[in-house]
Amino acid sequence: MALTPLIDPFGRRIEYLRLSVTDRCDLRCSYCLPKGFKGFTEPKHWLNFAEIERIVAAFAGFGVQRVRLTGGEPLTRRGIVELASRLAAIPGISDLSLSTNGTQLEALAQSLARAGVRRVNVSLDSLDPMIFRQLTGGELERVLRGIEAAQAAGLEPIRINTVVMVGINDTEVEPLLDYCAARGLTLRLIEPMPMGQTGQAALRASGTLEGVRRRLEQRFNLIPDLLPGGGPARYYRLASTQTRIGFITPLSQHFCATCNRVRLSAEGRLYLCLGHEHSYPLGEIIRTGISDEMLKEHLLQAIASKPERHQFNTQPQQIVRFMALTGG
Ligand code: SAM
């Protein structure tokens, strides 16, 4: 029987759930969480695995096949491998993926792959250990070992996500491109988004990716390309190679018209748009003991409130929550 799709008021089909399993992170990327940040949610308020499973199954009942584990740093959530295997087993979920900073991948990549995670995005903002430490507070070598472990575990494709801040790490783009080309990885460059004070400061200091793109266009012949996955990146292939580079440019070229996703926070708030503070309290609602039928009604109601687009350009101060609190 054909499943009823989730269609928002602007005719967009919602087919992708980003699932934040914690807002905590073992790194402090300068554009994401402030140093010394103490405002995390309490783990006792987080959705437990049964609650997450139930919500994901309800989405799957509407034909949502793709789920991405994210955070905060999802691999710091205790029992993450068990959660992955429970989600991968939900009928209809065919694409379980992960966004990670890579610090725990060396230890967990094999088990995650066995649990049913198919592919990973790893955040990596620099290949220079000093710049990496300044930007994230972490140890570069550990992340690089994590990426190797993910490749050895057969996770495929692996995409490297780099938030590019002009004047801080934009000179890292070419070394990162060489690194990815040598390993068959895809590099994606992300514009800083004005999420919370950290993101707003990063955007003010850096600006958009337009200049970086023009620089790359002068050096490489970039041929527009498509990659499966339905994400927001615009991809190019470097002529005469199999190397691909993606640009995620919510400010200079926004992609709201094709937005196909919603985000569930660790506490069970469903964010319909990264660029709006509005959220739907799904976690609270399921804790009132509602039936599966009612849960489906609530999902429909939530999707009916999805905004048309973000206002990052016109109202960059609007979003007070940091990216880690939503599940970027
Ligand atoms: N910890 C995981 C990771 O590092 O990928 C998942 C969560 S992290 C919040 C998801 C992505 O959001 C990372 O690639 C991170 O660099 C990006 N991010 C965080 N704050 C951002 C901001 N203000 N603008 C753009 N990207 C941001």
Side-chain angles (χ1 to χ4, degrees):
M1 193 179 68
L3 298 169
T4 317
L6 284 174
I7 310 275
D8 82 356
F10 304 96
R12 297 170 296 196
R13 179 168 178 181
I14 307 307
E15 359 179 58
Y16 180 25
L17 176 64
R18 294 180 68 103
L19 187 66
S20 171
V21 293
T22 173
D23 54 356
R24 293 171 190 237
C25 189
D26 53 341
L27 296 184
R28 285 291 175 278
C29 300
S30 61
Y31 48 78
C32 187
L33 278 174
K35 283 203 180 78
F37 180 69
K38 297 267 187 306
F40 293 109
T41 58
E42 284 296 323
K44 66 178 181 225
H45 295 146
W46 292 347
L47 296 175
N48 63 34
F49 289 177
E51 290 166 336
I52 294 175
E53 224 175 352
R54 186 170 176 215
I55 293 177
V56 171
F59 272 102
F62 283 108
V64 171
Q65 299 178 11
R66 302 172 50 208
V67 174
R68 174 174 294 275
L69 298 167
T70 180
E73 174 46 44
L75 300 189
T76 62
R77 172 105 187 226
R78 200 172 304 143
I80 187 70
V81 173
E82 183 203 333
L83 177 65
S85 65
R86 285 169 72 161
L87 297 182
I90 293 174
I93 298 301
S94 59
D95 179 17
L96 181 63
S97 59
L98 168 75
S99 282
T100 175
N101 62 27
T103 60
Q104 318 293 317
L105 262 184
E106 189 179 16
L108 291 176
Q110 288 283 355
S111 329
L112 287 164
R114 273 197 297 271
V117 173
R118 298 260 163 275
R119 55 203 184 93
V120 288
N121 290 353
V122 183
S123 299
L124 179 59
D125 294 337
S126 171
L127 284 171
D128 176 316
M130 291 297 288
I131 300 180
F132 185 84
R133 184 170 287 284
Q134 268 166 17
L135 272 176
T136 69
E139 189 205 329
L140 174 67
E141 268 309 313
R142 194 167 163 172
V143 175
L144 299 183
R145 289 198 303 271
I147 294 171
E148 270 175 35
Q151 286 203 285
L155 293 166
E156 163 78 26
I158 298 176
R159 292 176 183 162
I160 301 299
N161 283 340
T162 304
V163 175
V164 181
M165 288 174 290
V166 177
I168 297 175
N169 68 336
D170 62 308
T171 48
E172 288 297 289
V173 169
E174 283 86 348
L176 281 161
L177 197 52
D178 290 342
Y179 169 87
C180 288
R183 290 164 182 78
L185 312 175
T186 294
L187 179 65
R188 307 194 316 165
L189 308 180
I190 306 177
E191 267 171 6
M193 290 175 235
M195 304 285 299
Q197 286 166 4
T198 43
Q200 289 159 20
L203 177 61
R204 274 196 305 274
S206 161
T208 69
L209 274 178
E210 285 293 274
V212 174
R213 185 210 294 260
R214 277 198 298 275
R215 188 176 88 209
L216 290 174
E217 276 168 355
Q218 278 168 9
R219 212 184 126 190
F220 302 102
N221 183 6
L222 298 180
I223 301 166
D225 199 6
L226 277 182
L227 283 189
R234 289 185 171 83
Y235 287 102
Y236 297 85
R237 191 168 54 76
L238 273 54
S240 322
T241 74
Q242 287 310 309
T243 303
R244 290 178 174 84
I245 184 164
F247 294 84
I248 301 183
T249 54
L251 287 110
S252 58
Q253 263 190 305
H254 78 82
F255 35 78
C256 301
T258 53
C259 182
N260 61 354
R261 62 200 54 204
V262 291
R263 294 174 164 83
L264 189 67
S265 77
E267 292 188 303
R269 298 203 143 268
L270 191 68
Y271 286 93
L272 288 315
C273 172
L274 204 49
H276 284 259
E277 287 294 357
H278 165 75
S279 65
Y280 197 91
L282 264 191
E284 251 173 60
I285 289 169
I286 58 168
R287 285 176 182 168
T288 62
I290 58 166
S291 66
D292 286 346
E293 273 318 297
M294 279 305 292
L295 175 54
K296 286 190 159 185
E297 283 303 312
H298 280 289
L299 287 191
L300 289 168
Q301 226 169 295
I303 298 303
S305 66
K306 186 169 166 69
E308 183 175 13
R309 54 163 302 180
H310 65 69
Q311 275 123 20
F312 286 155
N313 287 304
T314 51
Q315 295 183 47
Q317 264 94 43
Q318 187 177 319
I319 304 302
V320 294
R321 65 181 197 281
F322 303 111
M323 186 73 98
L325 309 188
T326 315

Short mmCIF file of all heavy atoms in Angstrom, two decimals, residues 18 25 31-32 70-74 99-101 121-123 125 161 163 190-195 199 323-324 327-328, ligand 1:
data_model
loop_
_atom_site.label_atom_id
_atom_site.label_comp_id
_atom_site.label_asym_id
_atom_site.label_seq_id
_atom_site.Cartn_x
_atom_site.Cartn_y
_atom_site.Cartn_z
N ARG A 18 16.65 14.55 10.67
CA ARG A 18 17.95 14.66 11.35
C ARG A 18 17.68 14.57 12.84
O ARG A 18 16.90 15.34 13.39
CB ARG A 18 18.64 15.98 11.00
CG ARG A 18 19.01 16.04 9.53
CD ARG A 18 19.67 17.33 9.18
NE ARG A 18 20.98 17.46 9.78
CZ ARG A 18 22.13 17.29 9.14
NH1 ARG A 18 22.13 16.99 7.86
NH2 ARG A 18 23.28 17.43 9.75
N CYS A 25 28.98 18.17 23.33
CA CYS A 25 30.02 17.89 22.35
C CYS A 25 31.37 17.92 23.04
O CYS A 25 31.56 18.69 23.99
CB CYS A 25 29.98 18.93 21.23
SG CYS A 25 31.05 18.50 19.85
N TYR A 31 32.67 28.65 15.92
CA TYR A 31 31.44 29.18 15.31
C TYR A 31 30.20 28.46 15.84
O TYR A 31 29.09 28.75 15.41
CB TYR A 31 31.52 29.00 13.79
CG TYR A 31 31.95 27.61 13.39
CD1 TYR A 31 31.06 26.55 13.43
CD2 TYR A 31 33.28 27.34 13.06
CE1 TYR A 31 31.47 25.26 13.13
CE2 TYR A 31 33.69 26.06 12.76
CZ TYR A 31 32.78 25.03 12.79
OH TYR A 31 33.18 23.75 12.52
N CYS A 32 30.41 27.48 16.74
CA CYS A 32 29.27 26.66 17.17
C CYS A 32 28.95 26.89 18.65
O CYS A 32 27.96 27.54 18.98
CB CYS A 32 29.57 25.19 16.88
SG CYS A 32 28.18 24.09 17.18
N THR A 70 22.84 12.92 14.67
CA THR A 70 23.68 14.10 14.78
C THR A 70 23.62 14.63 16.21
O THR A 70 23.16 13.93 17.12
CB THR A 70 23.29 15.16 13.71
OG1 THR A 70 24.14 16.29 13.84
CG2 THR A 70 21.85 15.59 13.79
N GLY A 71 24.09 15.84 16.43
CA GLY A 71 24.09 16.38 17.78
C GLY A 71 24.41 17.87 17.75
O GLY A 71 24.19 18.52 16.72
N GLY A 72 25.04 18.34 18.75
CA GLY A 72 26.10 17.84 19.62
C GLY A 72 26.93 16.77 18.92
O GLY A 72 26.89 16.64 17.71
N GLU A 73 27.68 16.05 19.69
CA GLU A 73 28.45 14.96 19.09
C GLU A 73 27.72 13.65 19.38
O GLU A 73 27.72 13.17 20.52
CB GLU A 73 29.88 14.95 19.64
CG GLU A 73 30.71 13.78 19.18
CD GLU A 73 30.60 13.48 17.67
OE1 GLU A 73 30.63 14.40 16.84
OE2 GLU A 73 30.44 12.28 17.33
N PRO A 74 27.11 13.05 18.35
CA PRO A 74 26.26 11.87 18.59
C PRO A 74 27.03 10.69 19.18
O PRO A 74 26.44 9.89 19.92
CB PRO A 74 25.72 11.54 17.19
CG PRO A 74 26.60 12.24 16.23
CD PRO A 74 27.12 13.45 16.94
N SER A 99 26.44 12.23 11.31
CA SER A 99 27.35 13.38 11.24
C SER A 99 28.16 13.39 12.51
O SER A 99 27.59 13.34 13.61
CB SER A 99 26.56 14.70 11.18
OG SER A 99 26.06 14.91 9.90
N THR A 100 29.47 13.46 12.38
CA THR A 100 30.32 13.35 13.57
C THR A 100 31.54 14.25 13.43
O THR A 100 31.96 14.57 12.31
CB THR A 100 30.77 11.89 13.77
OG1 THR A 100 31.69 11.83 14.87
CG2 THR A 100 31.43 11.30 12.54
N ASN A 101 32.12 14.60 14.59
CA ASN A 101 33.39 15.32 14.53
C ASN A 101 34.57 14.35 14.42
O ASN A 101 35.71 14.76 14.34
CB ASN A 101 33.56 16.25 15.73
CG ASN A 101 33.58 15.51 17.06
OD1 ASN A 101 33.96 14.34 17.14
ND2 ASN A 101 33.18 16.20 18.13
N ASN A 121 29.30 11.73 7.55
CA ASN A 121 29.90 13.04 7.27
C ASN A 121 30.79 13.37 8.46
O ASN A 121 30.35 13.27 9.61
CB ASN A 121 28.82 14.12 7.16
CG ASN A 121 27.98 13.96 5.90
OD1 ASN A 121 28.28 13.12 5.04
ND2 ASN A 121 26.92 14.74 5.80
N VAL A 122 32.02 13.73 8.16
CA VAL A 122 32.94 14.07 9.25
C VAL A 122 33.32 15.54 9.12
O VAL A 122 33.69 16.00 8.04
CB VAL A 122 34.23 13.21 9.20
CG1 VAL A 122 35.13 13.53 10.39
CG2 VAL A 122 33.88 11.72 9.17
N SER A 123 33.20 16.27 10.22
CA SER A 123 33.57 17.68 10.21
C SER A 123 35.08 17.80 10.35
O SER A 123 35.67 17.16 11.22
CB SER A 123 32.92 18.42 11.38
OG SER A 123 31.53 18.31 11.25
N ASP A 125 37.86 21.06 9.80
CA ASP A 125 38.00 22.45 9.35
C ASP A 125 39.42 22.83 8.97
O ASP A 125 39.65 23.94 8.46
CB ASP A 125 37.50 23.42 10.44
CG ASP A 125 36.00 23.27 10.66
OD1 ASP A 125 35.31 22.79 9.74
OD2 ASP A 125 35.53 23.60 11.76
N ASN A 161 33.01 17.72 5.92
CA ASN A 161 32.34 19.02 6.02
C ASN A 161 33.28 20.05 6.62
O ASN A 161 33.77 19.86 7.74
CB ASN A 161 31.11 18.90 6.94
CG ASN A 161 29.95 18.23 6.23
OD1 ASN A 161 29.89 18.18 5.01
ND2 ASN A 161 29.02 17.72 7.02
N VAL A 163 33.51 24.06 7.63
CA VAL A 163 32.97 25.42 7.74
C VAL A 163 34.12 26.36 7.40
O VAL A 163 35.17 26.32 8.05
CB VAL A 163 32.42 25.71 9.15
CG1 VAL A 163 31.97 27.16 9.27
CG2 VAL A 163 31.26 24.77 9.46
N ILE A 190 31.12 24.79 3.82
CA ILE A 190 29.88 25.31 4.41
C ILE A 190 30.07 26.77 4.82
O ILE A 190 31.08 27.11 5.46
CB ILE A 190 29.50 24.48 5.67
CG1 ILE A 190 29.42 22.99 5.31
CG2 ILE A 190 28.19 24.97 6.28
CD1 ILE A 190 29.11 22.09 6.52
N GLU A 191 29.10 27.60 4.48
CA GLU A 191 29.12 28.99 4.94
C GLU A 191 28.75 29.04 6.41
O GLU A 191 27.81 28.35 6.82
CB GLU A 191 28.06 29.80 4.18
CG GLU A 191 28.60 30.47 2.96
CD GLU A 191 27.51 31.09 2.08
OE1 GLU A 191 26.33 31.09 2.47
OE2 GLU A 191 27.87 31.54 1.00
N PRO A 192 29.43 29.89 7.20
CA PRO A 192 29.01 30.03 8.60
C PRO A 192 27.57 30.57 8.65
O PRO A 192 27.24 31.51 7.92
CB PRO A 192 29.98 31.05 9.19
CG PRO A 192 30.93 31.42 8.13
CD PRO A 192 30.56 30.75 6.85
N MET A 193 26.77 29.93 9.48
CA MET A 193 25.37 30.37 9.61
C MET A 193 25.20 31.13 10.92
O MET A 193 25.83 30.75 11.92
CB MET A 193 24.44 29.16 9.61
CG MET A 193 24.35 28.48 8.27
SD MET A 193 23.36 26.99 8.41
CE MET A 193 24.50 25.77 7.78
N PRO A 194 24.35 32.15 10.93
CA PRO A 194 24.22 32.97 12.14
C PRO A 194 23.38 32.30 13.22
O PRO A 194 22.35 32.82 13.64
CB PRO A 194 23.56 34.25 11.60
CG PRO A 194 22.76 33.79 10.41
CD PRO A 194 23.51 32.64 9.82
N MET A 195 23.86 31.13 13.67
CA MET A 195 23.16 30.40 14.73
C MET A 195 23.79 30.79 16.06
O MET A 195 24.95 30.44 16.32
CB MET A 195 23.33 28.88 14.54
CG MET A 195 22.89 28.33 13.20
SD MET A 195 21.11 28.25 13.04
CE MET A 195 20.65 27.14 14.34
N GLY A 199 27.85 31.75 15.91
CA GLY A 199 27.64 31.69 14.46
C GLY A 199 27.54 33.09 13.87
O GLY A 199 28.07 33.38 12.79
N MET A 323 24.09 25.95 17.04
CA MET A 323 23.85 24.83 16.14
C MET A 323 23.81 23.50 16.90
O MET A 323 22.97 22.64 16.63
CB MET A 323 24.96 24.78 15.09
CG MET A 323 24.75 23.77 14.03
SD MET A 323 23.45 24.26 12.90
CE MET A 323 24.39 24.95 11.55
N ALA A 324 24.70 23.33 17.86
CA ALA A 324 24.78 22.04 18.58
C ALA A 324 23.47 21.72 19.31
O ALA A 324 23.20 20.57 19.61
CB ALA A 324 25.93 22.05 19.57
N GLY A 327 20.98 20.14 16.35
CA GLY A 327 21.34 19.02 15.50
C GLY A 327 21.58 19.54 14.11
O GLY A 327 20.70 19.48 13.25
N GLY A 328 22.77 20.11 13.90
CA GLY A 328 23.06 20.78 12.63
C GLY A 328 23.20 19.79 11.49
O GLY A 328 23.05 18.61 11.66
N1 SAM B 1 29.28 16.91 16.06
C1 SAM B 1 28.86 16.55 14.74
C2 SAM B 1 29.79 17.16 13.72
O1 SAM B 1 30.79 17.75 14.10
O2 SAM B 1 29.54 17.00 12.54
C3 SAM B 1 27.42 16.86 14.41
C4 SAM B 1 26.84 18.15 14.89
S1 SAM B 1 27.58 19.60 14.23
C5 SAM B 1 26.59 20.85 15.00
C6 SAM B 1 27.01 19.54 12.55
C7 SAM B 1 27.68 20.48 11.59
O3 SAM B 1 27.26 21.80 11.89
C8 SAM B 1 29.18 20.47 11.62
O4 SAM B 1 29.69 20.28 10.33
C9 SAM B 1 29.52 21.86 12.11
O5 SAM B 1 30.75 22.31 11.58
C10 SAM B 1 28.35 22.65 11.60
N2 SAM B 1 28.12 23.93 12.27
C11 SAM B 1 28.05 24.22 13.58
N3 SAM B 1 27.80 25.53 13.79
C12 SAM B 1 27.70 26.08 12.57
C13 SAM B 1 27.45 27.40 12.09
N4 SAM B 1 27.25 28.41 12.92
N5 SAM B 1 27.42 27.59 10.76
C14 SAM B 1 27.61 26.58 9.90
N6 SAM B 1 27.85 25.31 10.26
C15 SAM B 1 27.90 25.07 11.59
#
